[in-house]
């Protein structure tokens, strides 16, 4: 589409493309197609260093807060003089994962594991607790997590010993860990865990760090999640440990990351609300929905269909 005349916006200056340039491009293409195979072979660049499947790291600037990572899942544990407070076994589909986590804790301390706290009831985060139970830990979760787990009887997931409805403080060896239920969000059983001294929160799945939400959107409570994130933003903390390593490089989250997810959800919700009320749910929205502001974020292409379907369910169906 070469134009001869007329004003052309700056970013469409294709009419300046000369015949000489086009001829040059054609010549380069022919050359590329006729290079002998041997000449085209280049030494393969070294592969990026592989992350180990399992890794335990102390959180910078803390005396006793650790992150245990198994593949793409991670959990926080805190070592105190009187024992260990652990969270999420993260061993779904990994029969030895729970024991490996316990072994990693034993490399850091010989203190007993006193507590295992579930972030919410999803198996990818909490399967594998038997090794903790065998080590003497008391398993704690939100009341609805216990109800759900009792109903489902997953063979790999330990039923909680104790439950929390709204808030509870776990105090052990001079460390306090607050457990807060802030309403419906990614699940109906999420506990926000806060270390007031370290100003760290551990929040799983509801607020991805540096990436577009994906599969986790299947059964999210979209409107309630916006309120949940506002409550999280109002709490006193500086760093967030997510249940999946933050992007890039496994970084921790900030309040800006939480605000970004809130903004993304508000934008997606407003857009699909409009389309839903024009009768475009589901097919047209699933084909056409885009979030151009986030197109360069990790997880964008994979996340879009989940976001489109969930908001179509909300605004096009009432669910
Ligand atoms: Zn989840």
């Amino acid at each position: 589409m070469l134009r001869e005349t007329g004003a052309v916006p700056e970013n469409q200056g294709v009419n300046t493309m000369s015949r000489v340039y086009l001829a040059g491009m054609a010549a380069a293409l022919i050359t590329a197609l006729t290079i002998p195979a041997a000449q085209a072979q280049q030494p393969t660049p070294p592969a990026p260093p592989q992350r180990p499947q399992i890794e335990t790291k102390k959180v910078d600037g803390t005396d006793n807060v650790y992150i245990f990572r198994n593949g793409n899942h991670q959990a926080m544990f805190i070592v105190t003089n009187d024992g260990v407070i652990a969270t999420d076994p993260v061993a779904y589909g990994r029969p030895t994962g729970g024991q490996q986590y316990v072994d990693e804790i034993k490399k850091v301390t010989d203190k007993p594991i006193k507590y295992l706290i579930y972030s919410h009831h999803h198996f990818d985060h909490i399967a594998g607790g038997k090794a903790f139970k065998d080590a003497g830990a008391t398993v704690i979760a939100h009341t609805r997590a216990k109800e759900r787990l009792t109903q489902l009887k997953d063979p790999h997931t330990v039923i909680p010993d104790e439950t929390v409805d709204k808030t509870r403080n776990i105090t052990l060896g001079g460390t306090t860990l607050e457990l807060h239920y802030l309403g419906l969000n990614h699940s109906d059983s999420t506990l926000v865990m806060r270390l007031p001294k370290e100003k760290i929160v551990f929040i799983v799945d509801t607020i991805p760090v540096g990436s577009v939400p994906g599969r986790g959107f299947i059964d999210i409570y979209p409107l309630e999640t916006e309120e949940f994130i506002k409550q999280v933003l109002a709490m006193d903390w500086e760093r967030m440990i997510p249940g999946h390593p933050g992007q890039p490089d496994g970084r921790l989250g900030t309040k800006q990351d939480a605000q970004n997810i809130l903004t993304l959800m508000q934008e997606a919700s407003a857009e699909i609300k409009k389309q839903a009320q024009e009768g475009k749910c589901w097919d047209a929205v699933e084909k056409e929905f885009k979030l151009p502001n986030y197109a360069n974020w990790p997880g964008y292409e994979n996340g879009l269909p989940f976001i489109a379907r969930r908001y179509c369910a909300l605004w096009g169906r009432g669910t």
Side-chain angles (χ1 to χ4, degrees):
M1 43 177 278
L2 298 178
R3 298 192 196 180
E4 296 299 327
T5 56
V8 179
E10 253 183 332
N11 61 356
Q12 291 182 22
V14 288
N15 55 344
T16 60
M17 196 181 277
S18 72
R19 281 169 191 281
V20 176
Y21 176 70
L22 287 173
M25 275 182 59
L29 185 61
I30 289 162
T31 310
L33 290 172
T34 53
I35 289 174
Q39 201 185 323
Q41 277 176 6
Q42 298 291 325
T44 352
Q50 283 256 316
R51 286 193 318 172
Q53 173 68 26
I54 280 179
E55 200 171 28
T56 301
K57 279 187 177 170
K58 188 151 91 161
V59 176
D60 291 343
T62 70
D63 297 329
N64 60 350
V65 182
Y66 293 82
I67 296 173
F68 167 79
R69 181 182 62 74
N70 189 343
N72 193 38
H73 289 76
Q74 62 186 22
M76 172 179 80
F77 67 91
I78 306 124
V79 177
T80 79
N81 290 331
D82 293 341
V84 176
I85 306 170
T87 66
D88 289 1
V90 293
Y92 177 75
R94 299 162 179 152
T96 58
Q99 187 59 50
Q100 285 172 298
Y101 185 176
V102 168
D103 293 345
E104 287 289 294
I105 293 173
K106 285 183 180 162
K107 287 181 195 170
V108 175
T109 179
D110 55 6
K111 304 287 183 198
I113 302 173
K114 293 282 198 182
Y115 297 102
L116 174 68
I117 301 165
Y118 291 164
S119 62
H120 63 308
H121 71 274
H122 291 162
F123 297 137
D124 62 324
H125 292 274
I126 62 163
K130 184 173 182 301
F132 292 83
K133 189 81 186 136
D134 292 348
T138 299
V139 183
I140 300 178
H142 187 262
T143 309
R144 265 192 293 275
K146 180 167 184 174
E147 288 168 5
R148 192 76 180 137
L149 296 172
T150 304
Q151 193 179 29
L152 294 177
K153 297 185 178 62
D154 177 60
H156 307 292
T157 305
V158 173
I159 305 292
D161 300 304
E162 296 178 12
T163 58
V164 182
D165 264 333
K166 189 69 188 154
T167 60
R168 176 170 169 183
N169 283 1
I170 307 288
T171 301
L172 185 69
T175 291
T176 297
L177 176 67
E178 300 172 356
L179 311 179
H180 297 277
Y181 178 72
L182 302 179
L184 299 171
N185 59 101
H186 161 83
S187 79
D188 63 359
S189 63
T190 300
L191 290 175
V192 170
M193 304 187 207
R194 189 177 84 102
L195 288 163
K197 184 166 134 266
E198 292 81 1
K199 293 189 189 291
I200 287 174
V201 286
F202 175 51
I203 303 176
V204 174
D205 285 350
T206 309
I207 307 176
V209 171
S211 61
V212 172
R215 208 175 283 133
F217 236 72
I218 284 180
D219 54 354
I220 196 171
Y221 299 87
L223 297 178
E224 292 85 349
T225 296
E226 291 184 22
E227 296 312 309
F228 172 93
I229 297 177
K230 287 175 193 167
Q231 289 184 69
V232 167
L233 284 167
M235 293 172 83
D236 184 18
W237 58 274
E238 288 165 359
R239 291 185 288 173
M240 174 174 59
I241 300 173
H244 301 275
Q247 297 274 2
D249 303 324
R251 71 181 176 91
L252 303 190
T254 62
K255 286 200 171 176
Q256 185 62 54
D257 291 303
Q259 179 60 54
N260 289 348
I261 295 299
L262 176 60
T263 306
L264 181 155
M265 290 185 67
Q266 288 167 334
E267 289 175 11
S269 184
E271 174 63 22
I272 296 179
K273 180 182 185 179
K274 190 161 55 100
Q275 297 191 25
Q277 291 172 357
E278 290 166 4
K280 291 183 178 168
C281 282
W282 308 71
D283 290 348
V285 170
E286 285 186 32
K287 280 196 199 87
E288 292 158 23
F289 174 65
K290 300 277 181 254
L291 281 171
N293 292 345
Y294 306 88
N296 62 353
W297 282 32
Y300 176 72
E301 291 294 341
N302 284 337
L304 279 183
F306 293 104
I307 297 172
R309 283 184 189 183
R310 187 63 194 89
Y311 280 116
C312 259
L314 176 66
W315 295 117
R317 191 169 192 237
T319 300

